[in-house]
Structure formats: C-alpha cells, structure tokens
C-alpha cells in the first residue's frame, strides 16, 4: 500500500484557555499479530504528527491465539472495538480498523481516504475541553455540552519499538506511535461546565482527556479532546 504523507506539523501538546476547535480523535484498533496492520500503524504514525489530530493506537488481544501475544494488547480495547461495532448494528470487527470522531468506522483505508475522513471531522467539536497548568498542577475544564457523556483519562506511550518473534509478523521490528497503555473513566459528566485535576503520567508518557457521548451505553460521538504532555 502506498502511504500518503498526511502532514509534517507537530501536535500541540497543550491547548490554551482560548476559543479553538477541539482536535479530531482517531482511534486505530490494531495488533502485532496481524499481517495487515503494519500499513495502518504507519498511517497512524503520520497522523500523530498532524496538527489538530489526536491519534491513538489501541491494541486488541484477539489475535494472540495465532502465536504472538501482543505486548500492548488488552481485552478492554477489544471490548471497546466490539462496542463500536454494536453501536453501528454489527457484530463484526476488523484489524486494522480506524474510528474517527467516535462515529465513522473504516477498515484498512488508503492514506487519501483516511485523510479525507479526518478533514470532514475538523471543526465538528468546538472548544469543549481546555487544558491549563499552574501552581495547582494540571487541570482540564469541560465546557457546557447538552447531554454530557463520559470523561476519560487516556495514558499514551508516544513511541515504542517491538521485535516480533512469532505469528504473522515474525521477524519484523515494528515502530508504534501513541500507544494507549492506560484507560480510566474518570466520571460520568452531566454536560455542565466543570474543571478537574489531571494527575501527572509516568515519565516518558503523555495524557489525553476525552469527552465522549454514550448512546445506549455504547461509545458514541467524541465531544471533545485535549492532550497534555
């Protein structure tokens, strides 16, 4: 697959307390044991460098049976992917699969198709989450949104190299970007304006806060997102 370079600008590490559109959240469900996933992993790495995008790599565990246990795989991420499928009226999941803005699901797209989808989501959410730091530490403010949803703290490993010894990618050394290594639902959110502290991550990691609507208990549209390095 020919990969298109999506952009060269770096992601902003901290959003100021000023009006701006929230970044587009792109989730990639992937696996170290899946031979179709490396091109998508590379596309996510390109998205991770794009301004106005928060790209997240969530490693599923249902490929582990094939002979290689994904070093970042977690049943929680497999369940999240299945919940997305269920929200769309399906029982089928794919690897690799992108979910953009919590709404659009696409399996193994071309770089151009993914770039167009991300562009379509720009400006959809307007300054819902804002980040600031001060004497009291790191804080996030959630602005008023009708209906609310969930506030989630995501811990991210910006880059990792993994030498895969078995399975479909045996012998390859892969570079992964923005690997999700922690996922904590901080609270349900009524949609009223609120602020809350965000703990410092472990050294070498960064944090992302998501606000996401739930639809019948399943993940729905991403209402806002902010990254804190």
């Amino acid at each position: 697959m020919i990969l298109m370079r999506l952009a060269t600008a770096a992601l902003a590490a901290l959003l100021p307390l000023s009006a701006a559109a929230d970044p587009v959240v792109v989730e990639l469900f992937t696996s170290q044991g899946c031979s179709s996933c490396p091109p998508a992993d590379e596309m996510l790495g390109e998205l991770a460098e794009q301004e106005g995008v928060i790209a997240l790599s969530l490693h599923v565990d249902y490929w582990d049976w094939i002979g290689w246990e994904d070093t970042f795989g977690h049943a929680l991420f497999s369940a999240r992917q299945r919940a997305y499928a269920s929200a769309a009226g399906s029982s089928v999941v794919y690897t690799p699969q992108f979910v953009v803005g919590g709404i659009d699901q696409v399996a193994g797209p071309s770089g151009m198709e993914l770039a167009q989808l991300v562009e379509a989501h720009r400006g959809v959410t307007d300054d819902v989450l804002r980040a600031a730091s001060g004497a009291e530490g790191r804080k996030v403010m959630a602005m008023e949104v009708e209906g609310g949803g969930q506030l989630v703290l995501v811990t991210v490993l910006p880059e990792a190299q993994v030498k895969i010894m078995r399975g479909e990618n045996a012998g390859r050394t892969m570079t992964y970007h923005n690997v999700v290594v922690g996922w904590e639902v901080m609270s349900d959110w009524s949609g009223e304006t609120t602020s809350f502290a965000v703990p410092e991550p472990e050294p070498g990691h960064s944090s992302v806060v998501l606000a996401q609507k739930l639809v019948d208990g399943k993940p729905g549209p991403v209402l806002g997102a902010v990254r804190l390095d």
Side-chain angles (χ1 to χ4, degrees):
M1 178 184 296
I2 298 175
L3 298 175
M4 184 188 74
R5 177 59 58 182
L6 298 174
T8 57
L11 271 173
L14 198 65
L15 291 183
L17 282 170
S18 59
D22 280 301
V24 179
V25 175
V26 180
E27 300 171 68
L28 170 63
F29 294 93
T30 186
S31 173
Q32 296 169 8
C34 164
S35 62
S36 299
C37 288
D41 295 321
E42 188 173 343
M43 277 193 279
L44 189 90
E46 295 174 358
L47 276 174
E49 298 177 354
Q50 187 173 7
E51 186 175 2
V53 176
I54 291 179
L56 301 174
S57 179
L58 294 94
H59 288 235
V60 299
D61 67 346
Y62 53 78
W63 276 89
D64 290 357
W65 68 273
I66 207 165
W68 176 254
E69 185 174 345
D70 193 307
T71 56
F72 300 116
H74 201 290
L76 178 66
F77 306 144
S78 300
R80 180 169 174 81
Q81 187 185 19
R82 293 189 181 101
Y84 270 131
S86 179
S90 174
S91 61
V92 179
V93 294
Y94 301 90
T95 42
Q97 184 174 41
F98 289 90
V99 179
V100 182
I103 300 172
D104 289 311
Q105 305 175 32
V106 57
S110 68
M112 178 64 76
E113 181 183 4
L114 184 59
Q116 290 173 340
L117 192 56
V118 170
E119 193 63 28
H121 278 262
R122 289 192 185 277
V124 171
T125 60
D126 187 16
D127 196 30
V128 174
L129 295 183
R130 308 178 186 182
S133 59
E136 298 179 354
R138 306 190 311 168
K139 294 187 109 177
V140 170
M141 177 175 286
M143 308 307 291
E144 184 176 357
V145 171
E146 184 178 355
Q150 273 188 340
L151 296 171
V152 182
L153 176 61
V154 184
T155 303
V156 175
L157 183 62
E159 185 174 303
Q161 285 194 332
V162 179
K163 185 174 182 179
I164 300 172
M165 306 302 294
R166 295 179 298 280
E168 292 186 354
N169 291 316
R172 301 185 67 167
T173 298
M174 296 295 304
T175 299
Y176 296 102
H177 303 271
N178 286 0
V179 181
V180 176
V181 295
W183 189 278
E184 179 187 352
V185 176
M186 292 186 292
S187 67
D188 292 326
W189 174 42
S190 66
E192 296 179 354
T193 300
T194 186
S195 64
F196 49 92
V198 178
E200 292 283 348
E202 295 181 8
H205 294 70
S206 62
S207 302
V208 172
V209 175
L210 301 179
Q212 186 166 26
K213 185 177 289 292
L214 296 181
V215 181
D216 296 329
K218 301 164 189 173
V222 173
L223 302 171
V226 64
R227 179 167 183 162
L228 305 94
D229 288 332

